[in-house]
Amino acid sequence: MDSATSDRAALQATADNGLKIVVVGGFGVGKTTMVRSVSEIRPLNTEETMTRAGEAVDHLDGVQSKTSTTVAFDFGRITLDARSVLYLFGAPGQERFWFLWDRLFSGTLGAVVLVDTRRLADSWYAIDRLEHHGTPFIVACNDFGGPLHTEQQIREALALSDDVPLVECDARDRSSSKYVLITLVEHLYALSRGTAGSASTTARPETAPEKTPEPTP
């Protein structure tokens, strides 16, 4: 983790505009990995080793190889410009920690719903809670090498309206994760100006990957 952050530009001590963003989604979709890959500071995380005691309450279908899990939240930061920064909060994915979500959503400008297209149903709760709070969001499909789905199939499965941006990403890749956040900020700006419209799936840009070591699923 040191090598992934030490070569980034030094941060200013203060910023005029601090914008809170939440990354939500099902268990094991890559929320911690996204915050780690894009944060300019050493990320704060609350990962704990998974134990046999949790097997009775956590649904491990599709993520049997996962060995650690977030039990509170992840936190990172990324600079937008000289006056504005994004504060990133990664929400825990297990159902038993969902009670923390409403508190995390307080003061949130917008959200990224990170999904694993092999387990689309795991994202329903995140979308439902964001809509309940009236929090703007975009959907980012993390690449786990599963079967390909068309944009229409994903929108239908998640009951997404056409004005919700839907993008592809690799949460391990800093440039890809940064692109997701840029898409969200642009969406929020469009909403503030009343110009948000139909949004189509956009592949991540073809740039050299900047992957963090030992990514979690």
Side-chain angles (χ1 to χ4, degrees):
M1 198 65 232
D2 290 338
S3 62
T5 57
S6 60
D7 59 343
R8 299 177 188 172
L11 301 176
Q12 294 188 4
T14 61
D16 295 331
N17 301 311
L19 311 175
K20 181 180 178 182
I21 299 297
V22 175
V23 182
V24 295
F27 183 37
V29 297
K31 300 179 296 297
T32 296
T33 299
M34 175 170 282
V35 173
R36 282 178 176 172
S37 71
V38 79
S39 178
E40 297 169 331
I41 62 172
R42 182 190 298 274
L44 167 67
N45 65 71
T46 56
E47 280 200 310
E48 296 292 343
T49 301
M50 298 178 65
T51 65
R52 290 187 178 276
E55 293 179 358
V57 292
D58 293 328
H59 302 290
L60 301 180
D61 292 344
V63 288
Q64 290 88 346
S65 62
K66 191 169 174 61
T67 59
S68 62
T69 184
T70 299
V71 297
F73 62 85
D74 304 303
F75 174 76
R77 163 178 160 155
I78 183 170
T79 301
L80 293 180
D81 54 41
R83 301 181 60 185
S84 301
V85 296
L86 290 182
Y87 296 115
L88 309 177
F89 290 82
Q94 305 99 304
E95 184 174 349
R96 58 191 166 117
F97 296 126
W98 284 353
F99 70 92
L100 296 170
W101 285 22
D102 288 347
R103 187 65 62 87
L104 282 176
F105 290 164
S106 177
T108 296
L109 183 69
V112 174
V113 178
L114 196 60
V115 305
D116 177 353
T117 55
R118 302 170 303 174
R119 301 178 288 125
L120 287 171
D122 290 356
S123 304
W124 291 345
Y125 182 79
I127 293 173
D128 177 74
R129 296 314 298 165
L130 290 168
E131 291 178 340
H132 173 77
H133 283 272
T135 303
F137 65 92
I138 70 169
V139 173
C141 297
N142 197 9
D143 181 11
F144 283 92
L148 296 177
H149 299 280
T150 66
E151 174 189 349
Q152 189 60 31
Q153 287 173 328
I154 295 173
R155 288 190 178 277
E156 290 178 356
L158 299 178
L160 293 180
S161 61
D162 289 340
D163 61 346
V164 175
L166 176 63
V167 299
E168 298 175 0
C169 75
D170 182 342
R172 301 166 299 176
D173 183 333
R174 183 171 186 254
S175 62
S176 181
S177 295
K178 193 171 183 179
Y179 173 70
V180 170
L181 297 178
I182 291 172
T183 301
L184 174 60
V185 171
E186 290 178 342
H187 178 56
L188 296 173
Y189 180 71
L191 288 174
S192 70
R193 294 178 60 86
T195 58
S198 177
S200 60
T201 304
T202 307
R204 57 182 178 274
E206 295 297 331
T207 56
E210 300 178 35
K211 298 180 180 179
T212 57
E214 299 182 0
T216 56

